[in-house]
Amino acid sequence: MTSEKRNSVLESFLRCFPYLAIPVSPSKSRLTVENVTSSMITTEEATGSHLFKIKGHSVQKLTGRGHFLKSATFKVGGYNWYLMYYPNEDDCGNSIYLCLKSSQKEGNVRASWTFTVLDRNERQLSQSRTSDIVTFNSRLNRVGLRCHTSPAFWSWYLKDDCVVLKCTVTVVKESFVDSSNPIVMPPSKVQQQLGHLLRTGYEADVNFEVDGEIFGGHKCIIHARSPVFSETYFGLTKEKFDTKIRIKEMKAPVFKALLHFIYNDSFSGFKKMKGNDETQDSGLLTQELMVVADRYGLERLRIMCEKILSHGVDINNVVSLLSFAQSHSYNHLKASSLKFLASPDTFGAVVETEQFQYLVRCHPLILKELLEKRDCN
């Protein structure tokens, strides 16, 4: 069929069915493609905290105006920072300054910071104070916040004349524009999900009885986190299908903290125990957990316990902690205890006690190390 004949047939068909003839506008015959682009601006932040512990705070407040205490250098966001604390800057109270240990090459550094007053057990005593975002550079390398606390506050709330200033620094890094389509990586939820398994006991395949309390667990998770613990209680010599295991060498709070670490990878210390000697109870539990962590190859948990004990050294527990550290070769705790014991305010009050004399008889080298420490001070 020729094109002329085909057109003739089509015209005849449309005359019979005119409603099928749809006019087409030349302007709308083109396919329009919308070009859509996108961009995203991202501002990254880096946050870190530093604890500045001050013992003998009342003595520092007697030194007069202009006297300040300087913390060790700490790093946040790739920059070095330190704190300057003026315990008696003026009649209105005391102040703390965040300082950037900078060089000309670093240029401007934008950061905000928050400080909180804690007691020696790191419990919050005052409301946190937060600065605006400040630009630090070679000309402006420190920014201060006033504590606004009266002398009555320090005398009433501070125990053993010790204060901890917690400073949290947030460094605002340079913003950048990404014109591509970014892939946003969600934060990991492994710890929360494993912790949920422990709390709910979902699909738990083993129960532990400790001091009459029952704790559920999952053999595969416990084996992955501590093969030594798994071999001890799920080894070849044990019954393959044992679902209840009695543990006699641990207290229930210690085992609960151990399980919490295995699932959550965290330990923040024991809560206060009811009784006359609350601090000692929690300290003894931490010591027991530290030994258990060492026994089952949980080095991270052992270091967490050692850090908590080192920060809690005081005149009432220094001898027992030193004996504990010496017996188990925990060098960091031993060094912290010796440093505290060698101070003039502590040495005279402790060395004449029966507890210290017994320690020296059991560990004669302790006295030599202590005297060397005093000579260095």
Side-chain angles (χ1 to χ4, degrees):
M1 182 183 294
T2 63
S3 59
E4 290 82 0
K5 190 173 182 180
R6 184 169 56 248
N7 291 336
S8 176
V9 172
L10 179 60
E11 289 175 1
S12 300
F13 179 81
L14 291 177
R15 281 196 296 270
C16 296
F17 305 97
Y19 54 86
L20 294 177
I22 303 174
V24 179
S25 172
S27 62
K28 294 184 179 181
S29 62
R30 304 189 192 96
L31 178 62
T32 303
V33 179
E34 184 181 4
N35 184 21
V36 179
T37 61
S38 65
S39 64
M40 181 180 71
I41 187 165
T42 303
T43 302
E44 294 183 347
E45 294 181 345
T47 301
S49 297
H50 181 75
L51 299 180
F52 188 17
K53 193 171 187 178
I54 302 170
K55 296 182 178 180
H57 185 268
S58 60
V59 177
Q60 298 295 339
K61 289 189 70 67
L62 297 175
T63 53
R65 298 180 185 178
H67 172 72
F68 65 88
L69 305 173
K70 183 179 176 181
S71 74
T73 301
F74 56 97
K75 182 166 287 189
V76 179
Y79 301 96
N80 292 319
W81 307 85
Y82 63 91
L83 300 176
M84 293 177 63
Y85 173 60
Y86 289 79
N88 195 21
E89 189 171 31
D90 54 41
D91 295 334
C92 298
N94 39 16
S95 298
I96 184 169
Y97 289 81
L98 173 66
C99 307
L100 173 66
K101 194 173 183 179
S102 63
S103 62
Q104 294 287 346
K105 296 180 180 179
E106 289 179 346
N108 295 330
V109 180
R110 298 172 63 220
S112 64
W113 64 295
T114 300
F115 91 89
T116 311
V117 180
L118 312 175
D119 66 8
R120 64 181 179 84
N121 294 318
E122 299 182 14
R123 293 176 301 187
Q124 185 170 334
L125 297 179
S126 69
Q127 186 176 2
S128 300
R129 297 182 60 82
T130 305
S131 73
D132 296 328
I133 295 179
V134 179
T135 300
F136 293 81
N137 50 43
S138 58
R139 294 183 179 180
L140 178 65
N141 68 341
R142 73 173 194 170
V143 174
L145 290 173
R146 189 175 298 280
C147 295
H148 287 305
T149 51
S150 64
F153 171 87
W154 302 106
S155 61
W156 179 260
Y157 286 104
L158 293 189
K159 293 182 178 180
D160 299 328
D161 201 19
C162 176
V163 64
V164 179
L165 302 178
K166 180 180 181 181
C167 174
T168 301
V169 182
T170 300
V171 177
V172 182
K173 297 189 175 182
E174 289 297 326
S175 302
F176 63 92
V177 176
D178 185 1
S179 58
S180 62
N181 294 321
I183 300 176
V184 180
M185 183 66 67
S188 173
K189 296 183 178 180
V190 173
Q191 290 185 13
Q192 298 93 315
Q193 291 162 345
L194 291 180
H196 180 73
L197 279 180
L198 177 63
R199 289 190 303 272
T200 61
Y202 179 75
E203 293 291 342
D205 56 1
V206 63
N207 288 319
F208 299 94
E209 182 180 348
V210 187
D211 282 348
E213 295 188 39
I214 303 298
F215 301 90
H218 305 78
K219 290 183 179 181
C220 59
I221 294 177
I222 295 173
H223 175 77
R225 296 284 283 147
S226 177
V228 180
F229 184 96
S230 176
E231 180 63 27
T232 302
Y233 295 103
F234 313 141
L236 296 176
T237 60
K238 310 297 179 183
E239 290 293 334
K240 185 175 182 181
F241 298 104
D242 271 356
T243 58
K244 187 173 183 180
I245 297 174
R246 180 173 296 175
I247 297 180
K248 300 179 181 180
E249 64 272 16
M250 268 185 263
K251 296 183 178 68
V254 173
F255 186 77
K256 183 178 181 180
L258 176 68
L259 269 188
H260 177 86
F261 174 81
I262 287 175
Y263 282 79
N264 296 275
D265 198 42
S266 65
F267 173 67
S268 57
F270 290 98
K271 294 181 179 180
K272 287 289 186 179
M273 307 295 291
K274 294 182 180 180
N276 296 328
D277 200 353
E278 299 174 344
T279 304
Q280 187 180 17
D281 285 345
S282 61
L284 290 175
L285 290 175
T286 305
Q287 291 179 41
E288 184 176 336
L289 179 61
M290 188 172 174
V291 174
V292 169
D294 199 8
R295 181 190 308 154
Y296 295 124
L298 296 168
E299 182 66 8
R300 178 173 164 82
L301 176 59
R302 188 197 68 77
I303 292 175
M304 288 178 179
C305 295
E306 189 168 19
K307 183 177 179 181
I308 290 173
L309 291 174
S310 298
H311 287 171
V313 176
D314 59 34
I315 196 169
N316 297 316
N317 64 18
V318 61
V319 176
S320 62
L321 286 178
L322 183 56
S323 176
F324 172 73
Q326 179 70 14
S327 299
H328 294 85
S329 300
Y330 296 144
N331 295 328
H332 184 82
L333 178 59
K334 178 181 176 180
S336 299
S337 302
L338 283 173
K339 182 178 180 181
F340 180 85
L341 190 54
S343 64
D345 295 336
T346 308
F347 184 80
V350 173
V351 292
E352 299 298 331
T353 62
E354 294 182 6
Q355 191 180 16
F356 181 79
Q357 296 298 326
Y358 178 76
L359 172 64
V360 172
R361 287 196 298 270
C362 296
H363 307 284
L365 294 179
I366 285 287
L367 184 59
K368 180 182 177 182
E369 294 182 57
L370 179 59
L371 294 177
E372 290 176 353
K373 195 80 173 178
R374 280 180 55 82
D375 292 341
C376 292
N377 293 340

